Amino acid sequence: MLVCLIITGCSGLHERATVKDHGNQTRNVILIVGDGMGPEQLGLLLSYARQAPDTVIGERRTAFDRIMDEGGVMGISLTYPSGVLVTDSAASGTQLATGKFAGSEMIGADKDGNPVETILEKAIKTGKSTGLVSDTRLTHATPAAFAAHQAHRDMENDIAVDMLNVGPDVMLSGGLRHWIPQETNDKDSAVYQKLEQLTQGAVKIKSKRTDSRNLLEEAREKGYALAFNRAQMDAAQGKLLGLFAYSAMPDGITVTHSQDSPDRTIPTLKEMSAKALQVLTENDKGFFLMIEAGMIDWAAHNNDTGLMLHELLRLNETVDYVLDWASDREDSLVIVTADHTTGGFGISYSANDLPVGRQLPGILFKGREFKPNYNFGNPAVLDKIYSQKMSYYELFRGQFDRLPKDQQTPARLAELVNQYTAFAISEAQAAAILATEENPYYTEGHSSLGDKVVPKMGPTGAFFVYQTDDNRQNLLAREVAADQMVVWNTGSHTATPVLVFAKGSPEAMAPFGNVLHHTQLGRYAIEAVMNQ
Ligand code: MG
Ligand code: ZN
């Protein structure tokens, strides 16, 4: 027993010494989080890259293929928080940021609700620069978990104050509404008019604050340059706070279609990441940067397959950019993972549209047709999924709901769906989507999220949608699922472990190629940051 202890102790010490001797080249740590990007989501991206006849992914090679081709490692990681099975983004982000178990919906706290120093705060203490980039809004759960300490993710006004106090050098995202005083809601106020000039019309000006604090002014006093559009971001020098939307930034389909427009004022996730890297590399001591592709999760909550693919492509191009930046830099560790899986998504075979029999040249098929019993899916469906022109959210909230009431009919909904997506629905299907209360498959329940739940006991099992106020998107998904060759099992998160990719010096990336829990992943990332 004593011998064991001594040996274990020795090997522990030896390991430590090894890391110290050889692993100290790591100066920069970049953590990229695909919110809701479980293995199912990555599977869609990889299938689309390799099998879609007209894939937009160059050489059919995703950033994930690249990480592995270029010598990276891959692991798998469980995401559950303290005491429960399934995580939300706040608890998961917190576990990544602190390396400690968190309670559900907490921000930067341990399971008992005490604040815990995050990887970003530790990086600042060691003299490194730090940055947060997200395509949702800055005070949303994932970025918040790295630079705030609050009992609940919904306390976004307090989170904004925390973030400013912690003071990452670069913060780029949406969510202006939590940074401006409540007085801005009066359009005649001086502060509104000043802000209108400052933002040059790029961002809707409305506050969610319930006090008079002008966090933009406070940021300026702390030495931040402010940016509200692409040009301002590009021109900025040094510490930078960029808020490019009232709430969330534009969705992936909108980005795809506006990317090359000269009028575009809002930067993409890739452009924000590039700017962050530019600012952060000015510090010789290195940096910690968290980049979030946050809307993979939102698309998956809505079971919007086409939108989810566009969100994944946005993450993919960002990771590609970061890999280009990091190539030949042994001093930089890039980690790509998700905070959890969303939607219980899958590409699935079915008994619909069965294949017709055909001849095959192989000798086993002499005198016999090749006619599988099921429809295993034509890869061309992936191009049809990509061809979606509008998110389900915009389709309902932005289009359908803005029609005059008497025009909000099943016929009109079917028309919209058939105009903006490649998966047509009939008027009867549209009627079923709109008449959710009358659908006999639906009964009301309650979820742990405090929202109402509508479980559907259909032919493929339970189907949970946690927004009863508007589950039309999920119901549309249900109607087109067979044609899309996909299944969605839920409108919430699942406990399916997520994949972890890492690339850096051999010593720095090695720990990530394992079966992990996100608290471990967080600790390894912290070790890499602290390892001077
Ligand atoms: Mg998030
Ligand atoms: Zn989510």
Side-chain angles (χ1 to χ4, degrees), residues 288-328:
F288 168 76
L289 170 62
M290 195 287 299
I291 301 170
E292 182 198 25
M295 292 200 208
I296 299 165
D297 174 67
W298 297 10
H301 275 291
N302 294 334
N303 301 162
D304 187 339
T305 314
L307 176 62
M308 189 169 81
L309 177 57
H310 284 262
E311 299 298 353
L312 286 159
L313 289 167
R314 184 148 79 154
L315 171 116
N316 188 60
E317 72 163 11
T318 302
V319 178
D320 253 332
Y321 181 89
V322 172
L323 291 176
D324 286 342
W325 179 89
S327 67
D328 308 327

Side-chain angles (χ1 to χ4, degrees), residues 33 35 89 134 136 140-143 153 292-295 297-298 339:
V33 179
D35 198 315
S89 291
S134 171
T136 61
H140 206 259
T142 309
R153 55 186 291 168
E292 182 198 25
M295 292 200 208
D297 174 67
W298 297 10
D339 53 353

Side-chain angles (χ1 to χ4, degrees), residues 371-512:
K371 191 175 185 306
N373 289 332
Y374 296 97
N375 172 4
F376 288 96
N378 181 342
V381 78
L382 297 165
D383 286 330
K384 284 176 76 177
I385 288 171
Y386 175 82
S387 76
Q388 188 173 320
K389 294 183 193 70
M390 186 180 285
S391 71
Y392 288 180
Y393 181 91
E394 271 304 311
L395 208 146
F396 283 101
R397 301 284 186 96
Q399 300 281 318
F400 186 78
D401 290 349
R402 291 191 186 164
L403 292 170
K405 276 273 178 252
D406 63 336
Q407 285 181 38
Q408 295 181 13
T409 61
R412 199 70 189 88
L413 177 61
E415 227 172 82
L416 282 171
V417 170
N418 303 347
Q419 180 184 348
Y420 290 111
T421 80
F423 301 94
I425 60 166
S426 65
E427 202 178 320
Q429 287 176 300
I433 292 165
L434 294 174
T436 60
E437 298 309 314
E438 285 142 46
N439 189 322
Y441 287 121
Y442 287 79
T443 50
E444 272 196 343
H446 230 265
S447 84
S448 60
L449 293 168
D451 302 301
K452 283 190 179 166
V453 146
V454 181
K456 175 168 183 172
M457 303 309 294
T460 57
F463 174 66
F464 290 95
V465 180
Y466 70 78
Q467 310 99 325
T468 44
D469 60 320
D470 187 6
N471 61 7
R472 295 170 301 176
Q473 300 173 58
N474 304 76
L475 295 173
L476 170 57
R478 186 90 183 173
E479 292 300 331
V480 301
D483 288 343
Q484 286 192 333
M485 303 294 303
V486 308
V487 289
W488 287 99
N489 288 309
T490 176
S492 73
H493 301 170
T494 70
T496 303
V498 300
L499 298 178
V500 182
F501 294 81
K503 187 173 173 268
S505 72
E507 294 81 4
M509 68 182 166
F512 299 93

Side-chain angles (χ1 to χ4, degrees), residues 36-90:
M37 185 183 64
E40 306 92 322
Q41 277 77 16
L42 275 179
L44 174 65
L45 180 71
L46 291 168
S47 291
Y48 174 76
R50 295 185 188 202
Q51 291 192 279
D54 298 324
T55 186
V56 299
I57 296 178
E59 296 167 33
R60 299 191 176 276
R61 189 165 173 247
T62 68
F64 298 93
D65 295 302
R66 251 186 92 181
I67 292 174
M68 299 313 291
D69 289 351
E70 294 172 7
V73 300
M74 190 176 92
I76 187 164
S77 190
L78 290 149
T79 61
Y80 58 86
S82 177
V84 292
L85 289 170
V86 189
T87 191
D88 74 295
S89 291

